[in-house]
Amino acid sequence: MRFFVLCLFNFLIGCHGYADTKKRSFPPTFMFGVASSAYQIEGAWDEDGKGESIWDRFVHEDPERIADGYNGDVASDSYHLWRRDVEMLRELGVHFYRFSISWSRVMPTGLSNSINEAGFAYYDNLIDELLKYKIMPMVTLYHFDLPQYLQDLGGWINPLSSEWFEDYAAEVFKRYAHKVPFWITINQPKSICMDGYESNVLAPAVNSKTVGGYECTKNVLLAHAKAYRIYQTLYKTEHQGNVGISIELNWYDPVKNNTENAAAVARARAFQIDLYMHPIFSETGNFPNLVREIVARKSKEQGFTSSRLPNLTAEEIKLIRGSADFVGMNHYTSFLVQNSKKQYESPSLDDDIGVELSYRSEWKPSKSSWLKNTPYGIYRACIHVNINYNYPPMIVTEHGWSTGTGLGDKSRADNLRHYLNSLLLAMEDGTKLKGYAAWSLMDNVEWTAGTSERFGLYQVDFNSPTKNRTARLSALVYKNIIKTREVNLEWMPESLQIEIDQPNKLSNNIL
């Protein structure tokens, strides 16, 4: 019944509020945080012994790849301004800060014999400052910035890549397991593999549509699992930390409810969501049956002697299955799906899926062409995970909205409120949601968009020598939600001034 009511409600008003007057609030143990990533904010791309990453190479080889020409060489300069970053976290009153460690900053070549103590010193300082103010560190080990030395050896397509990552994870765990209660091994395998290896959208732009994306996917999942098993074996008993993986969980609905579109949306969800969820969170493990069947059939038609989707051995299936304490949910938007009439390049991921994506005209657009305001989608994505993967613990590790410059970002504040409303409904309907991280703490280098698309709760003046950070309206709205644990759609601050409250302490052991 709830599903029917929600669908009718979505149709009528787009899920921008509640159909009833029940007062809802986030429970006392719910964690609020913000997120960032190393390449996007740190800068200092070649300081203090840091090695070159694939993003350094990607933007330096062809600066025109970045929409406004502003890359991560300096970015928001968090390498030097980390104290101000922590001050902003204190101003917001968040419980945790999700940030990533730059592999090439702490291991310049990416290999275990290459340790850069100056790079580790930066993270020592940041983590200790967070703990000083009772803000929990949530560390992402890999957020798109592979050391270029490893890419020269094949990167994530090289079967040895999972061993390289295992060594890297072991070193970071050894240093920080006693200080960091939450870990994310890999951020968005789909983006790493399908945008970086299957296509040329993101670094390293390998563009191997034949097998690159699928080979990468297998190796990334193995890398994640090996890192998880290290923590489970050596540190879980003593430190009781939680290790997960962040997966892109946007939502896919049919354009129209007919048989043809039902099949199309099943393919979209299988390739875009379940390809990464099923090996870890299902009872059987392995890649989804639908994906394996489609790729095997198409591979045979294309003249291959075996499937372009690599096989997982029984041992690998066992290693990967169950290798997460929680699902990290990266959710931004929703798509409409229909069977494609286009002739896609074959072989390719697009040809395997065989769908076209679109949006409803009434969905409010952001600064990013791909990002529309569809709060109902995050509810539906949660329910999909619940039904198909037996209600795993979840943390929203990214959700955000892009605008231009300016402090009066009402569209971001409204987007934040409506999505948090939908999460309250998802929790009411059984989702084991333990926390939420807004993307992002501050304006950053948004990959190939540069600084032309702003996602920050805090605006960064990139023309300022000190990269001045100033709270936007959305920062104050989020601060109020954290403080009250309620979503008030009408609340507005008296001004854009923001003050530091007392530390907002929360228990680490919530999962």
Side-chain angles (χ1 to χ4, degrees):
M1 178 59 69
R2 162 56 67 80
F3 178 73
F4 171 77
V5 172
L6 183 74
C7 288
L8 177 62
F9 178 63
N10 292 341
F11 175 75
L12 292 175
I13 63 173
C15 199
H16 290 303
Y18 289 131
D20 58 33
T21 58
K22 179 180 178 180
K23 185 176 181 179
R24 296 170 172 86
S25 60
F26 290 94
T29 56
F30 189 87
M31 305 184 301
F32 291 99
V34 290
S36 69
S37 85
Y39 179 80
Q40 293 178 272
I41 67 167
E42 285 181 4
W45 80 275
D46 62 349
E47 287 188 38
D48 295 336
K50 178 185 172 295
E52 184 184 26
S53 76
I54 55 174
W55 270 91
D56 297 326
R57 177 71 61 88
F58 182 71
V59 301
H60 294 158
E61 276 188 343
D62 185 1
E64 293 186 359
R65 284 170 162 153
I66 308 303
D68 64 354
Y70 194 94
N71 61 36
D73 288 2
V74 178
S76 310
D77 200 22
S78 285
Y79 187 73
H80 300 107
L81 301 174
W82 53 271
R83 287 185 179 86
R84 172 59 181 143
D85 293 352
V86 176
E87 184 179 51
M88 293 189 293
L89 298 168
R90 295 170 61 205
E91 290 170 357
L92 290 171
V94 296
H95 306 114
F96 72 93
Y97 178 39
R98 179 198 170 198
F99 63 94
S100 74
I101 289 178
S102 167
W103 190 347
S104 60
R105 190 176 297 285
V106 298
M107 289 183 177
T109 68
L111 297 176
S112 59
N113 69 334
S114 173
I115 303 295
N116 180 27
E117 292 298 339
F120 272 115
Y122 166 70
Y123 299 107
D124 291 343
N125 290 332
L126 176 59
I127 290 171
D128 287 345
E129 188 81 353
L130 291 170
L131 295 175
K132 175 182 177 182
Y133 294 107
K134 298 180 173 57
I135 300 168
M136 290 184 288
M138 180 182 288
V139 171
T140 305
L141 292 173
Y142 184 76
H143 200 127
F144 300 175
D145 50 353
L146 189 73
Q148 182 60 42
Y149 183 86
L150 299 184
Q151 183 56 43
D152 292 340
L153 299 176
W156 287 112
I157 297 180
N158 189 326
L160 293 176
S161 58
S162 64
E163 296 180 20
W164 301 332
F165 185 77
E166 184 179 22
D167 289 341
Y168 161 58
E171 183 65 29
V172 177
F173 287 150
K174 181 179 70 176
R175 291 170 181 261
Y176 300 129
H178 64 298
K179 294 182 177 182
V180 176
F182 291 94
W183 297 88
I184 296 161
T185 55
I186 304 282
N187 182 73
Q188 283 186 205
K190 175 177 173 286
S191 296
I192 295 166
C193 297
M194 301 308 173
D195 292 332
Y197 288 86
E198 207 269 345
S199 72
N200 60 0
V201 175
L202 301 178
V206 172
N207 204 26
S208 172
K209 296 188 185 302
T210 305
V211 296
Y214 295 134
E215 291 290 342
C216 170
T217 299
K218 173 180 177 177
N219 292 330
V220 164
L221 291 176
L222 287 171
H224 153 76
K226 289 178 180 180
Y228 177 84
R229 301 303 177 192
I230 289 174
Y231 188 92
Q232 185 183 48
T233 301
L234 299 179
Y235 303 106
K236 182 71 171 178
T237 300
E238 181 177 0
H239 301 299
Q240 295 298 304
N242 298 282
V243 181
I245 182 171
S246 287
I247 294 175
E248 181 181 308
L249 292 173
N250 291 318
W251 186 240
Y252 300 84
D253 264 337
V255 170
K256 295 180 180 179
N257 288 317
N258 55 36
T259 301
E260 183 181 24
N261 285 332
V265 82
R267 294 196 303 274
R269 293 173 188 169
F271 278 88
Q272 306 283 23
I273 296 176
D274 300 329
L275 179 61
Y276 313 97
M277 287 288 296
H278 198 274
I280 301 171
F281 296 99
S282 71
E283 292 184 3
T284 59
N286 210 341
F287 294 124
N289 288 336
L290 182 59
V291 174
R292 286 190 288 153
E293 290 167 4
I294 290 173
V295 180
R297 173 174 54 79
K298 282 186 168 287
S299 297
K300 185 176 180 180
E301 293 170 357
Q302 292 155 354
F304 291 92
T305 57
S306 61
S307 177
R308 292 163 34 243
L309 182 71
N311 180 57
L312 290 175
T313 67
E315 183 180 359
E316 289 169 339
I317 291 170
K318 182 179 179 181
L319 176 70
I320 296 170
R321 186 168 60 86
S323 60
D325 299 317
F326 64 91
V327 181
M329 180 188 208
N330 288 0
H331 179 97
Y332 287 87
T333 195
S334 299
F335 301 92
L336 298 178
V337 181
Q338 62 185 342
N339 199 50
S340 178
K341 303 297 192 292
K342 297 180 181 178
Q343 192 71 30
Y344 290 114
E345 180 180 347
S346 178
S348 69
L349 175 69
D350 288 338
D351 181 67
D352 291 339
I353 305 177
V355 302
E356 294 180 31
L357 303 180
S358 61
Y359 309 93
R360 294 202 189 284
S361 59
E362 63 267 27
W363 291 350
K364 184 176 180 179
S366 69
K367 183 72 171 177
S368 308
S369 61
W370 54 271
L371 178 54
K372 313 296 180 182
N373 189 37
T374 56
Y376 85 96
I378 200 167
Y379 172 91
R380 295 290 302 278
C382 287
I383 301 307
H384 176 86
V385 170
N386 293 344
I387 292 172
N388 291 279
Y389 300 107
N390 195 27
Y391 295 81
M394 298 174 65
I395 298 173
V396 174
T397 45
E398 285 183 32
H399 160 256
W401 182 254
S402 63
T403 64
T405 57
L407 301 182
D409 59 338
K410 188 175 183 299
S411 66
R412 178 178 291 106
D414 289 344
N415 176 270
L416 176 69
R417 289 190 267 216
H418 294 317
Y419 273 79
L420 284 171
N421 268 343
S422 290
L423 287 174
L424 282 169
L425 273 180
M427 294 170 69
E428 191 172 277
D429 284 355
T431 302
K432 296 178 181 178
L433 188 67
K434 306 302 181 181
Y436 167 91
W439 184 272
S440 177
L441 172 60
M442 69 195 112
D443 290 339
N444 53 41
V445 176
E446 191 54 36
W447 308 113
T448 56
T451 61
S452 66
E453 299 170 8
R454 305 295 185 98
F455 278 84
L457 298 175
Y458 281 73
Q459 177 166 276
V460 175
D461 181 358
F462 290 100
N463 295 319
S464 165
T466 54
K467 302 295 179 286
N468 295 336
R469 291 116 153 88
T470 308
R472 288 190 166 107
L473 169 64
S474 58
L476 279 80
V477 168
Y478 191 38
K479 177 183 175 73
N480 179 259
I481 291 171
I482 295 170
K483 186 175 183 178
T484 64
R485 296 192 168 272
E486 296 179 358
V487 179
N488 185 334
L489 296 177
E490 306 301 326
W491 184 88
M492 292 290 285
E494 294 181 1
S495 73
L496 290 182
Q497 299 295 317
I498 190 166
E499 298 178 355
I500 297 176
D501 292 334
Q502 293 299 314
N504 201 346
K505 191 172 181 358
L506 195 69
S507 170
N508 294 352
N509 190 19
I510 65 161
L511 296 188

